[in-house]
Amino acid sequence: MKKVILLISLFFALTGISESNEVNIFSARHYDSDVQLYEKFTQKTGIKVNVVAGKDKSLQKRIIEEGKDCIADLYITADAGRLGAFQEKGMFQKVSSKVLKNAIPSNFRSPYWYGIAKRARVIYYAPKRLSETELKGMSYEDLADSKWKGKIVIRKSNNVYNQSLVASLIANNGKKKTAEWAKELVSNMARKPKGNDRAQILAVAAGEAELAIANTYYIALMLSGKKGPEQQTAAKTVKPFFPNQDDRGTHMNISGGGVLKYAPNKINAIKMLEFLLTKEAQEHIVNNTFEYPMINGVQPNKLIAQFGLDFKQDLKTNVSEYVKNQADALKIMTEAGWE
Ligand code: FE
């Protein structure tokens, strides 16, 4: 009898029949457009999508606390550092999917989570005050140059985008050099770190600083008018500059997701991930979030494509490395006086 039950449950486990015809997504991506995307998935597959949206920390906390009772199948968030940290807590399960492996370059995925879209963390400047030729050949390392004293704005060290950027510097230059770099960068800051990425771009537009560090999609978001006419006008006076073109390339990061360890609907969660890497889904994503597509054959939205698409991306540093250096990154930033 026991054997029969075991065989039956094995059959259901293998076929996925025991799964309900739905998938539960916990998402820290704050985009209404993602909901329309999930509706497309339902139309295609008949699988109902339930979304729990929230902040990264509170969603992760809930998933951990509820453990085996948690309904979540798929966790989606921004930044490889966050995905990696959640993986280190053992919250994802390994997924092996040929579709995902073929769609996503190896440096933008791990066996536990997969990149859905890309972003670069770049330098912004106002061409009216600073010509592009002055920036030519500039790297993140050059932000430590004393010629930028009092001229740089960047957000706080508790921000995961900054932690991943500094983690990538540790991976490439080592801890000692990065610690020296951080000290110099702090002494070059135009003000105490405050505000989000858009606030840094606005500071350059307002002439409070000459260089800002922020992610690529924010300039497009501002230019789109979705953040109001003032930010749209300000964004028109600022341009992104892609650092490290002469060596490893510009620092890249991802939005991504992984199937949770206790996912009740594992197969549907994989189907959703695979759907997110289709041309249709990628086009929807890049035209709403202004990120770069993960797959070939999809063009970014023109608001971001206008700044150039052939820049050299850092494909040498695997984004799954960021988490390894993130604690050191935060320590280095804090010790450098980076608030
Ligand atoms: Fe963001």
Side-chain angles (χ1 to χ4, degrees), residues 30-31 78 82 119 121 155 159 161 197 215 217-218:
H30 41 89
Y31 296 110
R82 283 193 186 125
R119 61 272 301 281
R121 194 154 183 76
R155 67 200 286 182
N159 169 253
Y161 302 152
D197 270 18
N215 286 352
Y217 50 89
Y218 286 113

Side-chain angles (χ1 to χ4, degrees), residues 126-276:
K128 253 193 177 172
R129 300 196 306 271
L130 199 67
S131 86
E132 199 181 344
T133 45
E134 270 185 80
L135 297 176
K136 211 179 173 317
M138 191 171 173
S139 64
Y140 297 104
E141 285 81 349
D142 293 332
L143 291 168
D145 194 316
S146 60
K147 81 183 225 199
W148 301 115
K149 191 130 289 185
K151 290 183 175 171
I152 298 174
V153 279
I154 185 164
R155 67 200 286 182
K156 287 185 174 175
S157 55
N158 65 5
N159 169 253
V160 73
Y161 302 152
N162 282 342
Q163 289 168 18
S164 289
L165 173 63
V166 177
S168 81
L169 287 169
I170 294 173
N172 285 289
N173 303 330
K175 275 195 252 180
K176 195 171 165 267
K177 270 196 177 160
T178 305
E180 287 160 12
W181 171 87
K183 271 187 198 133
E184 295 304 322
L185 172 60
V186 168
S187 73
N188 286 346
M189 286 181 185
R191 64 180 187 194
K192 279 186 183 177
K194 62 172 182 183
N196 56 20
D197 270 18
R198 279 179 289 113
Q200 316 311 314
I201 296 171
L202 287 170
V204 169
E208 291 166 33
E210 294 309 317
L211 303 178
I213 316 302
N215 286 352
T216 39
Y217 50 89
Y218 286 113
I219 187 83
L221 181 66
M222 293 161 83
L223 288 170
S224 75
K226 285 183 187 176
K227 291 292 166 187
E230 278 173 34
Q231 292 199 15
Q232 189 178 32
T233 307
K236 284 179 185 162
T237 67
V238 173
K239 268 180 84 175
F241 174 83
F242 296 88
N244 295 71
Q245 293 303 288
D246 296 341
D247 46 71
R248 65 184 178 275
T250 299
H251 173 73
M252 302 300 293
N253 211 321
I254 56 163
S255 285
V259 178
L260 293 156
K261 186 160 83 176
Y262 301 118
N265 308 291
K266 178 188 173 180
I267 291 162
N268 292 348
I270 297 171
K271 276 186 192 158
M272 173 56 89
L273 272 179
E274 290 176 349
F275 168 74
L276 292 174

